Amino acid sequence: MGVLETAKLLDEQLYSRQLYVLDLPAMQRIQGAKVLLSGLQGLGAEVAKNLVLMGVGSLTLHDPHPTCWSDLAAQFFLSEKDLKKSRAEASQEPLAKLNGAVQVCVHTGYITEELLLDFQVVVLTASKLEEQLEVGALCHKLKICFLVADTRGLVGQLFCDFGEDFTVQDPTEAEPLTAAIQHISQGSPGILTLRKEADARYFRDGDLVTFSGIEGMVELNGCEPRPIHVQEDGTLEIGNTAIFSPYLHGGAVTEVKRSKTVSHKPLDVALLQPRVVAQGSEEAHRARCLHQAFRALHEFQSLNGRLPQPWDPADAEKVVGLARSLEPLKGTEGEPLEELLDEALVQIVALSSAGGLSPMAAMLGAVAAQEVLKAISRKFMPLDQWLYFDALDCLPEDGEPLPIPEDCAPVGAGAIGCELLKGFALMGLGAGDSGGVTVADMDHIERSNLSRQFLFRTQDIGRPKAEVAAEATRRLNSHLQVTPLTHPLDPTTEHIYEDNFFSNVDGVAAALDSFQARHYVAARCTHYLKPLLDAGTQGTSGHAYVFVPHVTDVYRVPPSGLAAEGATYPVCTLRYFPSSVEHTLQWARDEFEGLFHLSAETINRHQEALTSLAETDGPQVLTLLEEVLGVLRQRPQTWQDCVVWALGHWQRRFHYGIRQLLSHFPPDKVLEDGTLFWLGRKQCPKPLEFDASQDTHLLYVLAAANLYAQMHGLPGSRDQTALRELLESLPLPVPQALAPISPSDLELAGASAEFGPEQLKKLHQVLKVWNRSPPLEPLKFEKDNDSNFHVDFVAAAASLRAQNYGIPPASRSQSKRIVGQIIPAIATTTAAVAGLVGLELYKVVGGPRPLRAFRHSYLHLAENRLERWEPCAPAVQKLHPLTWTWTCWNRLEVPAGQPEKTLELLLAYLKEQFGLRVKMLLFGKALLYSARWSPEKQAQRLALGVTELVCQVTGRMPQPGQRVLVLELSCEGEEEDTIFPPLHYQLAV
């Protein structure tokens, strides 16, 4: 099997999000792989697109068949000018443009054994069964990974044969678990106590672990993997430690992943003994019936030289007859399977088997491409061995032909947004005279986008995503009406995305990357009664949800999602008592902001008034300048000055700062109740001793000195050897603290926060340095530029902080992901969820459908999980003794009047029309009326017009074009969980 001989450097900026999914060794294997793909209709194009975006080394296309009109419905690389050209040759150039690092070739001859020897993976799409059996047998013999992928209408099939002895080196997507150690006993077995007892629940009996960073019992550091036993109290038995040195301090225990071996049967055997991916016996039976339906379709094609005609009952009945006559299936051990064929299912498959649909191609093409990556990288468990996916729920219940998509408007042009736009173009969405698609995205294209967002090219970097996506979508379908908007969709732009905008929209497809953004867009859809299609991904997992007014429940943000996005940590925890890697990283991120951004901004802003500022805000200014100057007493003039500052700051943060803390809270300090101060999550820190031979120490100084130089407009240096020599020649500076630690942070006994004459004198001395000096350059943190030292500084600072407190440090890659809030992403998951959204779109635009027609979807490609389920119906509420009911989609509508209603008339209207006695009325957070107010205050408010009252209380006038005021109310007799519909008070136009 051939592998690319030329070693290529991996473009880590391009594949930055993908590396968080696959890791560097896996990406290097992918970059050296050679893949043969036969069949370039819609499904083949999806597989090819994903493989090229993800950086496979070489992709050879094989499809000698000429392009025909039907190909254009799902094959986005082809257009009218390619009619009668070979599909493979016509697709080569546009595929190659997706990624210049991938060799895209075309093979025009037959697939022979000699040809196959040059590849590691072979994929057949839209192929006949005879070809599948022939090529599959050769691949199995040659130990080449072999896949078959096919879609027939709304049903898809995927088969994998990776050989009889295929080793998966990394079976799961999860990173190895690492936990901090509290103590290890000497004995047989040795007992390990974790710093956080909760971490024990993540370990399992028999897990293999290794150790690092332990002081004292150093024999465990880097040892061969040891099996553990998890005890009831959460401690871990780790084997014999009786002859090891006594445990002293620190360290981490880390899970060691185990490889797994997979055994696959060749296609000729698996055809009669299918192992299907399914959740439960009912789903497995349906999958086997679909398996028989595909076999029958192959037999029909072999006998008739064509597939069944669409919606032809006679052809469908022939397919059912062929399915009945097939050799019965057997179990995995060869035993006969005694189960009835679902003939109705086979019939509907036959009726709808003609034609290719873009969403089906996207879904199956994504899964197939992910299996190719599994074969190459040996990361994640492959399918075992057949996967069947159907979206027959898209068919109208009355059996009429599929509807034609009508108008709908998506939101977003990120990775999922691009895939959605591609699908919309191929489906013809918004291509009518009165139709249209609006794409809204405020971001600009970055290099890292190019490995997932196939509408963008290198020359588009820096341009608005929405504009480029709109241009590229029009090229896919010139009839598509696409309008790009570059404004964010959030509360600040409600004057742009206002009532008139949403009144002209038939639906929203959201591809957003935060729960806060999803919550806002979903609320707008609920307000305007618009269907919402929501998609999202993280690594190899993703979802596609559908929300339809009055049919399904509305979108609800999981509480854990919003909590995670808004997570904050107490200041004293970050400064003095960190206990997790997240604490150390947030501390390091704050360090960057304070040292290189806020300080420069503040000094520039107040440079002319620093002397007077010192009189009024002395302690804060002194602390600020002390941070910027450190051990220096003048602004830096050379690179060496910057190195001296960085070294001094290292000493200040990781040595003297810890010594100062321990002087107030010694390691043996006891509280009044007799318990140790340093206990549990409050770990006693240790000062570090600077050592230029240690990489993390050197990298911190390198990054800090370069950032300090940038801030002062000085040239930096990347020469680590010269830096190490310079550091070895410099004396360790002794920082002179100008300001004490704030007692409000620590409540330190004896520490004083007074700003006396002596400190004021020191401050004036320091201020002289800044008078008439050029302004500083504030540095804005940028996570995606790996050459600017930003992430290097944060990663090194966090790692040193972790060493102070005995916390397992994060790697640079992990630090970048956490601090930069980067969501791991890969093209396959993106394409799969876009396909699932497209399938629900068929239902949304096809007219009223019952709840049972819709599907929420969740997939996890690394774990071979695909779940689809019926959404929840909206909860019905009722207020006794009222007779009317409502759901989250209802609202109380009050028509506009001339003259406008006073508040008194509005309350009377609500009582007369709905039987509601209003206790409280709010506009946003502003209280307009309360029944608890004094009669005088109530009378004053009741006499005002509703719009006048809102303006008086909030100080804001309605926006131009605004049609309603949305009010919230509570009423007499309501229960605690009662949520009344919003009150839509219509404004006179």
Side-chain angles (χ1 to χ4, degrees), residues 124 413 986:
L124 301 186
Q986 296 183 7

Side-chain angles (χ1 to χ4, degrees), residues 66-81:
T67 301
C68 58
W69 277 104
S70 61
D71 294 330
L72 306 187
Q75 222 286 29
F76 43 88
F77 291 123
L78 303 178
S79 62
E80 294 180 24
K81 65 180 177 57

Side-chain angles (χ1 to χ4, degrees), residues 661-678:
L661 178 63
L662 293 176
S663 70
H664 293 287
F665 294 104
D668 56 356
K669 181 177 176 63
V670 178
L671 300 175
E672 291 181 0
D673 62 1
T675 60
L676 288 171
F677 178 82
W678 297 107

Side-chain angles (χ1 to χ4, degrees), residues 450-522:
L450 303 184
S451 66
R452 304 179 314 285
Q453 289 143 271
F454 86 107
L455 295 182
F456 305 152
R457 302 292 182 269
T458 303
Q459 64 268 24
D460 298 321
I461 292 174
R463 294 188 61 199
K465 287 183 178 180
E467 293 179 2
V468 177
E471 294 169 5
T473 307
R474 292 190 200 101
R475 288 195 292 270
L476 291 176
N477 186 338
S478 59
H479 300 289
L480 193 65
Q481 310 296 318
V482 189
T483 303
L485 294 176
T486 58
H487 310 286
L489 184 56
D490 61 28
T492 67
T493 57
E494 290 186 2
H495 62 289
I496 298 172
Y497 304 101
E498 31 75 87
D499 292 348
N500 287 330
F501 174 85
F502 274 98
S503 67
N504 292 317
V505 166
D506 294 314
V508 173
L512 302 164
D513 57 6
S514 75
F515 286 111
Q516 184 177 4
R518 286 195 182 101
H519 174 70
Y520 176 78
V521 171

Side-chain angles (χ1 to χ4, degrees), residues 165-191:
D165 189 23
F166 181 82
T167 300
V168 183
Q169 296 174 353
D170 187 357
T172 65
E173 187 172 10
E175 294 183 359
L177 173 63
T178 296
I181 298 170
Q182 180 75 31
H183 182 72
I184 305 174
S185 68
Q186 286 178 296
S188 183
I191 304 299

Side-chain angles (χ1 to χ4, degrees), residues 24 69 92 148 199 208 222 224 231 256 336 379 464 477 483 624 630 710 736 789 791 800 820 829 878:
L24 185 58
W69 277 104
Q92 181 185 17
V148 172
D199 285 344
L208 295 178
E224 290 295 315
Q231 302 192 103
V256 177
K379 188 176 177 71
N477 186 338
T483 303
L624 176 67
Q710 292 173 28
Q736 299 177 7
F789 293 103
V791 173
L800 292 166
T829 318
K878 181 177 181 180

Side-chain angles (χ1 to χ4, degrees), residues 679-700:
L679 189 66
R681 292 195 176 189
K682 196 179 289 182
Q683 289 295 302
C684 184
K686 291 178 56 179
L688 301 182
E689 300 293 337
F690 183 78
D691 182 354
S693 67
Q694 293 194 30
D695 288 344
T696 308
H697 296 207
L698 182 73
L699 289 174
Y700 176 90

